[in-house]
Amino acid sequence: MILIEYVVLCIVIGLITYLRKALDLFGSIFMVIMAIIIIFTAGLNWLILILIFLVLGLLFTKYKHQYKKEIGVYEGTRTIKNVISNGIVAFVMAAFGNYAGFIGAIATATADTLASEVGVTEQPRLITTLKKVPPGTDGGISVLGTAAGIIGAGIIGVSAYLLGIYPNPFVTLKIAVIAGTVGCFMDSILGAVFERRHYLNNEYVNLIATITGASLGIIMV
């Protein structure tokens, strides 16, 4: 009976994300499917960690959204491609019960999202040359954005401990901050080297970054 209630909860969350235009229809449906599978394979607490990432992403997307619209970098509604590229690695880690890879992937996605949403509001520099570039440039980084990304990764680490995903707070925080930060920088490097030249699109860059974060998390334990 409890599992049925959890399934209903996943559907409600999916409906809310769709109605609030955080995700499009197919993105919301795919998110619900992944959420249900995670509940049955890993448990509710693992799903809650993903929901924390989603809530943080939604909140920081709204950060100075009017300014982002004015300079043409406001993303708005995300699609199924965004859900897959940011969430599929964490989904696989959860399905196999790998807490370190799961935390690393979620921390990377969170750090990258917060770094992008906050960092775009100030003058960034290209990670490969440190030359100033326009806001929204692939591979652009800033002090403010980097700080936001590290804080976001830290929130995931603390949350993972509080949710009981792993009982040692130092381990969860270490995995989240280090793997999340490295994964976030990997995203920027790939953006500067490959995405700017149209060798890779944003979805592939996000996917490789979360794979990096998950892999580093696994290696660290």
Short mmCIF file of all heavy atoms in Angstrom, two decimals, residues 156-214:
data_model
loop_
_atom_site.label_atom_id
_atom_site.label_comp_id
_atom_site.label_asym_id
_atom_site.label_seq_id
_atom_site.Cartn_x
_atom_site.Cartn_y
_atom_site.Cartn_z
N ILE A 156 24.17 18.67 -1.46
CA ILE A 156 23.87 17.28 -1.82
C ILE A 156 24.57 16.32 -0.87
O ILE A 156 23.98 15.32 -0.42
CB ILE A 156 24.29 17.00 -3.28
CG1 ILE A 156 23.43 17.81 -4.24
CG2 ILE A 156 24.18 15.50 -3.59
CD1 ILE A 156 21.94 17.51 -4.17
N GLY A 157 25.83 16.60 -0.53
CA GLY A 157 26.56 15.74 0.40
C GLY A 157 25.91 15.68 1.77
O GLY A 157 25.73 14.60 2.34
N VAL A 158 25.57 16.84 2.31
CA VAL A 158 24.92 16.90 3.63
C VAL A 158 23.56 16.19 3.57
O VAL A 158 23.20 15.42 4.47
CB VAL A 158 24.76 18.36 4.09
CG1 VAL A 158 23.91 18.43 5.36
CG2 VAL A 158 26.11 19.00 4.32
N SER A 159 22.82 16.43 2.50
CA SER A 159 21.50 15.82 2.35
C SER A 159 21.60 14.30 2.26
O SER A 159 20.77 13.57 2.82
CB SER A 159 20.80 16.37 1.11
OG SER A 159 20.62 17.77 1.20
N ALA A 160 22.62 13.81 1.53
CA ALA A 160 22.81 12.36 1.40
C ALA A 160 23.03 11.71 2.76
O ALA A 160 22.52 10.62 3.03
CB ALA A 160 23.99 12.08 0.47
N TYR A 161 23.78 12.40 3.62
CA TYR A 161 24.00 11.88 4.97
C TYR A 161 22.71 11.91 5.79
O TYR A 161 22.34 10.92 6.43
CB TYR A 161 25.08 12.69 5.68
CG TYR A 161 25.10 12.47 7.17
CD1 TYR A 161 25.52 11.24 7.69
CD2 TYR A 161 24.69 13.47 8.06
CE1 TYR A 161 25.50 11.02 9.07
CE2 TYR A 161 24.69 13.26 9.43
CZ TYR A 161 25.10 12.02 9.93
OH TYR A 161 25.07 11.80 11.28
N LEU A 162 22.01 13.03 5.77
CA LEU A 162 20.78 13.17 6.55
C LEU A 162 19.70 12.19 6.10
O LEU A 162 18.88 11.74 6.90
CB LEU A 162 20.25 14.61 6.44
CG LEU A 162 21.13 15.70 7.08
CD1 LEU A 162 20.55 17.08 6.82
CD2 LEU A 162 21.29 15.45 8.58
N LEU A 163 19.73 11.83 4.82
CA LEU A 163 18.76 10.88 4.28
C LEU A 163 19.17 9.43 4.53
O LEU A 163 18.42 8.51 4.19
CB LEU A 163 18.57 11.11 2.79
CG LEU A 163 17.84 12.40 2.40
CD1 LEU A 163 17.97 12.66 0.90
CD2 LEU A 163 16.36 12.31 2.80
N GLY A 164 20.36 9.24 5.07
CA GLY A 164 20.81 7.90 5.39
C GLY A 164 21.31 7.10 4.21
O GLY A 164 21.39 5.87 4.28
N ILE A 165 21.65 7.79 3.12
CA ILE A 165 22.17 7.07 1.95
C ILE A 165 23.53 6.46 2.28
O ILE A 165 23.87 5.37 1.80
CB ILE A 165 22.25 8.02 0.74
CG1 ILE A 165 20.81 8.41 0.33
CG2 ILE A 165 22.98 7.37 -0.43
CD1 ILE A 165 20.74 9.43 -0.77
N TYR A 166 24.32 7.16 3.11
CA TYR A 166 25.55 6.58 3.66
C TYR A 166 25.74 7.20 5.03
O TYR A 166 25.57 8.42 5.19
CB TYR A 166 26.76 6.86 2.76
CG TYR A 166 27.98 6.07 3.16
CD1 TYR A 166 28.06 4.70 2.89
CD2 TYR A 166 29.03 6.67 3.84
CE1 TYR A 166 29.16 3.96 3.28
CE2 TYR A 166 30.14 5.93 4.24
CZ TYR A 166 30.20 4.57 3.95
OH TYR A 166 31.28 3.83 4.35
N PRO A 167 26.08 6.40 6.05
CA PRO A 167 26.07 6.90 7.44
C PRO A 167 27.21 7.80 7.85
O PRO A 167 27.19 8.33 8.97
CB PRO A 167 26.09 5.59 8.25
CG PRO A 167 26.80 4.60 7.37
CD PRO A 167 26.35 4.95 5.98
N ASN A 168 28.22 7.99 7.02
CA ASN A 168 29.36 8.81 7.41
C ASN A 168 29.26 10.18 6.74
O ASN A 168 29.37 10.29 5.52
CB ASN A 168 30.67 8.12 6.99
CG ASN A 168 31.90 8.81 7.57
OD1 ASN A 168 32.00 10.03 7.57
ND2 ASN A 168 32.84 8.02 8.07
N PRO A 169 29.08 11.26 7.52
CA PRO A 169 28.91 12.59 6.92
C PRO A 169 30.15 13.08 6.18
O PRO A 169 30.05 13.80 5.20
CB PRO A 169 28.59 13.48 8.12
CG PRO A 169 29.18 12.77 9.29
CD PRO A 169 29.02 11.31 8.99
N PHE A 170 31.34 12.71 6.68
CA PHE A 170 32.57 13.17 6.04
C PHE A 170 32.76 12.52 4.67
O PHE A 170 33.22 13.15 3.73
CB PHE A 170 33.77 12.86 6.95
CG PHE A 170 33.69 13.53 8.29
CD1 PHE A 170 33.36 12.79 9.42
CD2 PHE A 170 33.90 14.89 8.42
CE1 PHE A 170 33.27 13.41 10.66
CE2 PHE A 170 33.81 15.52 9.65
CZ PHE A 170 33.49 14.78 10.79
N VAL A 171 32.37 11.25 4.56
CA VAL A 171 32.48 10.54 3.29
C VAL A 171 31.51 11.11 2.26
O VAL A 171 31.89 11.39 1.12
CB VAL A 171 32.23 9.03 3.46
CG1 VAL A 171 32.14 8.33 2.10
CG2 VAL A 171 33.33 8.40 4.30
N THR A 172 30.26 11.32 2.67
CA THR A 172 29.27 11.85 1.73
C THR A 172 29.63 13.26 1.29
O THR A 172 29.49 13.61 0.11
CB THR A 172 27.86 11.84 2.34
OG1 THR A 172 27.86 12.60 3.56
CG2 THR A 172 27.38 10.43 2.64
N LEU A 173 30.12 14.07 2.24
CA LEU A 173 30.49 15.44 1.89
C LEU A 173 31.72 15.46 0.98
O LEU A 173 31.80 16.24 0.03
CB LEU A 173 30.76 16.24 3.16
CG LEU A 173 30.93 17.76 2.99
CD1 LEU A 173 29.67 18.37 2.40
CD2 LEU A 173 31.25 18.42 4.32
N LYS A 174 32.68 14.59 1.28
CA LYS A 174 33.90 14.52 0.46
C LYS A 174 33.55 14.12 -0.97
O LYS A 174 34.02 14.73 -1.94
CB LYS A 174 34.88 13.51 1.07
CG LYS A 174 36.17 13.33 0.26
CD LYS A 174 37.07 12.27 0.88
CE LYS A 174 36.49 10.87 0.70
NZ LYS A 174 37.43 9.81 1.13
N ILE A 175 32.75 13.06 -1.10
CA ILE A 175 32.36 12.60 -2.44
C ILE A 175 31.64 13.70 -3.19
O ILE A 175 31.95 13.99 -4.35
CB ILE A 175 31.47 11.35 -2.34
CG1 ILE A 175 32.26 10.15 -1.82
CG2 ILE A 175 30.85 11.02 -3.70
CD1 ILE A 175 31.40 8.94 -1.52
N ALA A 176 30.67 14.32 -2.53
CA ALA A 176 29.84 15.32 -3.19
C ALA A 176 30.64 16.54 -3.64
O ALA A 176 30.55 16.96 -4.80
CB ALA A 176 28.70 15.75 -2.27
N VAL A 177 31.44 17.08 -2.73
CA VAL A 177 32.17 18.32 -3.05
C VAL A 177 33.25 18.08 -4.09
O VAL A 177 33.36 18.83 -5.07
CB VAL A 177 32.76 18.94 -1.77
CG1 VAL A 177 33.68 20.12 -2.13
CG2 VAL A 177 31.64 19.42 -0.85
N ILE A 178 34.05 17.03 -3.90
CA ILE A 178 35.16 16.79 -4.83
C ILE A 178 34.64 16.30 -6.18
O ILE A 178 34.99 16.86 -7.24
CB ILE A 178 36.16 15.78 -4.24
CG1 ILE A 178 36.82 16.37 -2.98
CG2 ILE A 178 37.23 15.42 -5.28
CD1 ILE A 178 37.78 15.43 -2.28
N ALA A 179 33.81 15.26 -6.17
CA ALA A 179 33.29 14.72 -7.43
C ALA A 179 32.41 15.74 -8.14
O ALA A 179 32.48 15.89 -9.36
CB ALA A 179 32.50 13.43 -7.18
N GLY A 180 31.58 16.45 -7.37
CA GLY A 180 30.71 17.45 -7.97
C GLY A 180 31.46 18.60 -8.60
O GLY A 180 31.14 19.05 -9.70
N THR A 181 32.50 19.08 -7.90
CA THR A 181 33.30 20.19 -8.42
C THR A 181 34.09 19.78 -9.65
O THR A 181 34.13 20.50 -10.65
CB THR A 181 34.26 20.71 -7.33
OG1 THR A 181 33.50 21.13 -6.18
CG2 THR A 181 35.05 21.89 -7.85
N VAL A 182 34.74 18.61 -9.59
CA VAL A 182 35.50 18.12 -10.74
C VAL A 182 34.58 17.88 -11.94
O VAL A 182 34.90 18.25 -13.08
CB VAL A 182 36.26 16.83 -10.40
CG1 VAL A 182 36.90 16.22 -11.66
CG2 VAL A 182 37.34 17.10 -9.36
N GLY A 183 33.41 17.28 -11.68
CA GLY A 183 32.45 17.05 -12.75
C GLY A 183 31.97 18.35 -13.37
O GLY A 183 31.80 18.45 -14.60
N CYS A 184 31.79 19.37 -12.53
CA CYS A 184 31.35 20.68 -13.01
C CYS A 184 32.42 21.31 -13.90
O CYS A 184 32.12 21.87 -14.96
CB CYS A 184 31.04 21.58 -11.82
SG CYS A 184 30.40 23.21 -12.26
N PHE A 185 33.68 21.22 -13.48
CA PHE A 185 34.78 21.76 -14.29
C PHE A 185 34.95 20.97 -15.59
O PHE A 185 35.30 21.53 -16.62
CB PHE A 185 36.08 21.77 -13.50
CG PHE A 185 36.22 22.95 -12.58
CD1 PHE A 185 36.47 22.77 -11.22
CD2 PHE A 185 36.10 24.25 -13.06
CE1 PHE A 185 36.59 23.85 -10.37
CE2 PHE A 185 36.22 25.35 -12.22
CZ PHE A 185 36.46 25.15 -10.87
N MET A 186 34.69 19.66 -15.52
CA MET A 186 34.74 18.84 -16.74
C MET A 186 33.70 19.35 -17.74
O MET A 186 33.97 19.43 -18.94
CB MET A 186 34.48 17.38 -16.40
CG MET A 186 34.36 16.47 -17.62
SD MET A 186 35.85 16.44 -18.63
CE MET A 186 36.92 15.45 -17.58
N ASP A 187 32.52 19.70 -17.23
CA ASP A 187 31.47 20.25 -18.08
C ASP A 187 31.96 21.52 -18.78
O ASP A 187 31.75 21.71 -19.98
CB ASP A 187 30.23 20.54 -17.23
CG ASP A 187 29.04 20.99 -18.06
OD1 ASP A 187 29.03 22.16 -18.50
OD2 ASP A 187 28.13 20.18 -18.28
N SER A 188 32.63 22.37 -18.03
CA SER A 188 33.13 23.63 -18.59
C SER A 188 34.22 23.39 -19.62
O SER A 188 34.27 24.05 -20.67
CB SER A 188 33.65 24.54 -17.47
OG SER A 188 32.62 24.89 -16.57
N ILE A 189 35.13 22.46 -19.31
CA ILE A 189 36.21 22.16 -20.25
C ILE A 189 35.66 21.60 -21.56
O ILE A 189 36.06 22.01 -22.66
CB ILE A 189 37.21 21.17 -19.62
CG1 ILE A 189 37.95 21.85 -18.46
CG2 ILE A 189 38.21 20.67 -20.66
CD1 ILE A 189 38.76 20.90 -17.61
N LEU A 190 34.72 20.66 -21.44
CA LEU A 190 34.10 20.09 -22.64
C LEU A 190 33.35 21.17 -23.41
O LEU A 190 33.34 21.17 -24.65
CB LEU A 190 33.14 18.97 -22.24
CG LEU A 190 33.78 17.70 -21.67
CD1 LEU A 190 32.70 16.76 -21.14
CD2 LEU A 190 34.61 16.99 -22.73
N GLY A 191 32.72 22.08 -22.67
CA GLY A 191 32.00 23.17 -23.33
C GLY A 191 32.93 24.06 -24.11
O GLY A 191 32.64 24.46 -25.25
N ALA A 192 34.08 24.39 -23.52
CA ALA A 192 35.04 25.28 -24.17
C ALA A 192 35.73 24.62 -25.36
O ALA A 192 35.95 25.26 -26.40
CB ALA A 192 36.10 25.72 -23.15
N VAL A 193 36.06 23.34 -25.22
CA VAL A 193 36.85 22.66 -26.26
C VAL A 193 35.98 22.07 -27.36
O VAL A 193 36.32 22.18 -28.56
CB VAL A 193 37.72 21.54 -25.62
CG1 VAL A 193 38.48 20.77 -26.69
CG2 VAL A 193 38.69 22.14 -24.60
N PHE A 194 34.86 21.46 -26.99
CA PHE A 194 34.06 20.73 -27.96
C PHE A 194 32.71 21.37 -28.31
O PHE A 194 32.33 21.43 -29.47
CB PHE A 194 33.81 19.30 -27.47
CG PHE A 194 35.06 18.48 -27.32
CD1 PHE A 194 35.59 18.22 -26.06
CD2 PHE A 194 35.72 17.98 -28.44
CE1 PHE A 194 36.75 17.47 -25.93
CE2 PHE A 194 36.87 17.23 -28.32
CZ PHE A 194 37.39 16.98 -27.05
N GLU A 195 32.00 21.86 -27.29
CA GLU A 195 30.66 22.40 -27.55
C GLU A 195 30.73 23.69 -28.35
O GLU A 195 29.90 23.92 -29.25
CB GLU A 195 29.92 22.62 -26.23
CG GLU A 195 28.44 22.89 -26.41
CD GLU A 195 27.70 22.99 -25.10
OE1 GLU A 195 28.32 22.75 -24.02
OE2 GLU A 195 26.50 23.32 -25.12
N ARG A 196 31.70 24.54 -28.06
CA ARG A 196 31.84 25.79 -28.80
C ARG A 196 32.14 25.55 -30.28
O ARG A 196 31.82 26.36 -31.13
CB ARG A 196 32.95 26.66 -28.20
CG ARG A 196 32.61 27.22 -26.82
CD ARG A 196 33.74 28.06 -26.28
NE ARG A 196 33.88 29.32 -27.00
CZ ARG A 196 35.01 29.79 -27.50
NH1 ARG A 196 36.11 29.09 -27.41
NH2 ARG A 196 35.04 30.96 -28.10
N ARG A 197 32.78 24.41 -30.57
CA ARG A 197 33.09 24.06 -31.96
C ARG A 197 32.04 23.15 -32.59
O ARG A 197 32.23 22.64 -33.69
CB ARG A 197 34.47 23.37 -32.01
CG ARG A 197 35.62 24.28 -31.60
CD ARG A 197 36.94 23.50 -31.57
NE ARG A 197 38.09 24.38 -31.36
CZ ARG A 197 38.53 24.77 -30.17
NH1 ARG A 197 37.90 24.37 -29.07
NH2 ARG A 197 39.59 25.57 -30.07
N HIS A 198 30.98 22.91 -31.83
CA HIS A 198 29.84 22.10 -32.30
C HIS A 198 30.21 20.64 -32.55
O HIS A 198 29.61 19.96 -33.37
CB HIS A 198 29.22 22.71 -33.57
CG HIS A 198 28.83 24.15 -33.41
ND1 HIS A 198 27.78 24.54 -32.61
CD2 HIS A 198 29.37 25.29 -33.93
CE1 HIS A 198 27.68 25.86 -32.64
NE2 HIS A 198 28.63 26.34 -33.43
N TYR A 199 31.23 20.15 -31.82
CA TYR A 199 31.58 18.74 -31.88
C TYR A 199 30.66 17.93 -30.96
O TYR A 199 30.40 16.75 -31.20
CB TYR A 199 33.04 18.51 -31.48
CG TYR A 199 34.04 19.13 -32.42
CD1 TYR A 199 35.25 19.63 -31.96
CD2 TYR A 199 33.79 19.22 -33.79
CE1 TYR A 199 36.18 20.21 -32.81
CE2 TYR A 199 34.71 19.81 -34.66
CZ TYR A 199 35.90 20.29 -34.17
OH TYR A 199 36.81 20.86 -35.03
N LEU A 200 30.23 18.56 -29.87
CA LEU A 200 29.30 17.96 -28.93
C LEU A 200 28.20 18.97 -28.63
O LEU A 200 28.45 20.18 -28.64
CB LEU A 200 30.00 17.59 -27.62
CG LEU A 200 31.04 16.46 -27.63
CD1 LEU A 200 31.70 16.37 -26.26
CD2 LEU A 200 30.41 15.14 -28.01
N ASN A 201 26.99 18.47 -28.35
CA ASN A 201 25.94 19.39 -27.91
C ASN A 201 25.87 19.39 -26.38
O ASN A 201 26.58 18.63 -25.70
CB ASN A 201 24.59 19.03 -28.53
CG ASN A 201 24.10 17.64 -28.13
OD1 ASN A 201 24.50 17.10 -27.10
ND2 ASN A 201 23.24 17.06 -28.94
N ASN A 202 25.03 20.23 -25.83
CA ASN A 202 24.97 20.42 -24.38
C ASN A 202 24.57 19.14 -23.65
O ASN A 202 25.06 18.88 -22.55
CB ASN A 202 23.98 21.54 -24.06
CG ASN A 202 23.92 21.84 -22.57
OD1 ASN A 202 22.94 21.53 -21.90
ND2 ASN A 202 24.98 22.43 -22.03
N GLU A 203 23.70 18.35 -24.26
CA GLU A 203 23.25 17.12 -23.61
C GLU A 203 24.39 16.13 -23.45
O GLU A 203 24.55 15.50 -22.39
CB GLU A 203 22.10 16.47 -24.40
CG GLU A 203 20.76 17.17 -24.26
CD GLU A 203 20.71 18.49 -25.04
OE1 GLU A 203 21.40 18.57 -26.09
OE2 GLU A 203 20.01 19.41 -24.59
N TYR A 204 25.22 15.97 -24.48
CA TYR A 204 26.35 15.06 -24.38
C TYR A 204 27.37 15.57 -23.37
O TYR A 204 27.98 14.78 -22.63
CB TYR A 204 27.02 14.88 -25.74
CG TYR A 204 26.29 13.94 -26.66
CD1 TYR A 204 25.66 14.39 -27.82
CD2 TYR A 204 26.20 12.58 -26.36
CE1 TYR A 204 24.98 13.52 -28.66
CE2 TYR A 204 25.52 11.71 -27.19
CZ TYR A 204 24.91 12.17 -28.35
OH TYR A 204 24.24 11.32 -29.15
N VAL A 205 27.56 16.86 -23.32
CA VAL A 205 28.49 17.45 -22.36
C VAL A 205 28.01 17.17 -20.94
O VAL A 205 28.80 16.76 -20.07
CB VAL A 205 28.62 18.97 -22.59
CG1 VAL A 205 29.34 19.64 -21.42
CG2 VAL A 205 29.37 19.25 -23.89
N ASN A 206 26.72 17.37 -20.67
CA ASN A 206 26.17 17.10 -19.35
C ASN A 206 26.30 15.63 -18.98
O ASN A 206 26.61 15.28 -17.84
CB ASN A 206 24.70 17.51 -19.29
CG ASN A 206 24.51 19.01 -19.29
OD1 ASN A 206 25.42 19.77 -18.97
ND2 ASN A 206 23.33 19.45 -19.68
N LEU A 207 26.05 14.76 -19.96
CA LEU A 207 26.14 13.33 -19.72
C LEU A 207 27.56 12.92 -19.34
O LEU A 207 27.77 12.19 -18.36
CB LEU A 207 25.69 12.57 -20.96
CG LEU A 207 25.75 11.03 -20.89
CD1 LEU A 207 24.84 10.51 -19.78
CD2 LEU A 207 25.37 10.41 -22.23
N ILE A 208 28.54 13.38 -20.10
CA ILE A 208 29.94 13.04 -19.81
C ILE A 208 30.36 13.60 -18.46
O ILE A 208 31.10 12.95 -17.70
CB ILE A 208 30.86 13.56 -20.93
CG1 ILE A 208 30.54 12.86 -22.25
CG2 ILE A 208 32.33 13.34 -20.57
CD1 ILE A 208 31.26 13.45 -23.46
N ALA A 209 29.88 14.79 -18.14
CA ALA A 209 30.22 15.40 -16.85
C ALA A 209 29.68 14.57 -15.69
O ALA A 209 30.39 14.33 -14.70
CB ALA A 209 29.67 16.82 -16.78
N THR A 210 28.43 14.10 -15.79
CA THR A 210 27.86 13.30 -14.70
C THR A 210 28.52 11.92 -14.62
O THR A 210 28.67 11.37 -13.53
CB THR A 210 26.34 13.14 -14.86
OG1 THR A 210 26.02 12.65 -16.18
CG2 THR A 210 25.62 14.47 -14.63
N ILE A 211 28.94 11.38 -15.76
CA ILE A 211 29.71 10.13 -15.75
C ILE A 211 31.03 10.34 -15.01
O ILE A 211 31.46 9.50 -14.22
CB ILE A 211 29.97 9.63 -17.18
CG1 ILE A 211 28.67 9.15 -17.83
CG2 ILE A 211 31.00 8.50 -17.19
CD1 ILE A 211 28.80 8.78 -19.29
N THR A 212 31.66 11.50 -15.26
CA THR A 212 32.91 11.84 -14.58
C THR A 212 32.70 11.92 -13.08
O THR A 212 33.47 11.36 -12.29
CB THR A 212 33.46 13.18 -15.10
OG1 THR A 212 33.69 13.09 -16.50
CG2 THR A 212 34.75 13.56 -14.39
N GLY A 213 31.65 12.62 -12.67
CA GLY A 213 31.36 12.76 -11.23
C GLY A 213 31.06 11.43 -10.58
O GLY A 213 31.55 11.14 -9.47
N ALA A 214 30.28 10.60 -11.25
CA ALA A 214 29.94 9.28 -10.71
C ALA A 214 31.19 8.40 -10.60
O ALA A 214 31.42 7.73 -9.59
CB ALA A 214 28.90 8.60 -11.60
#
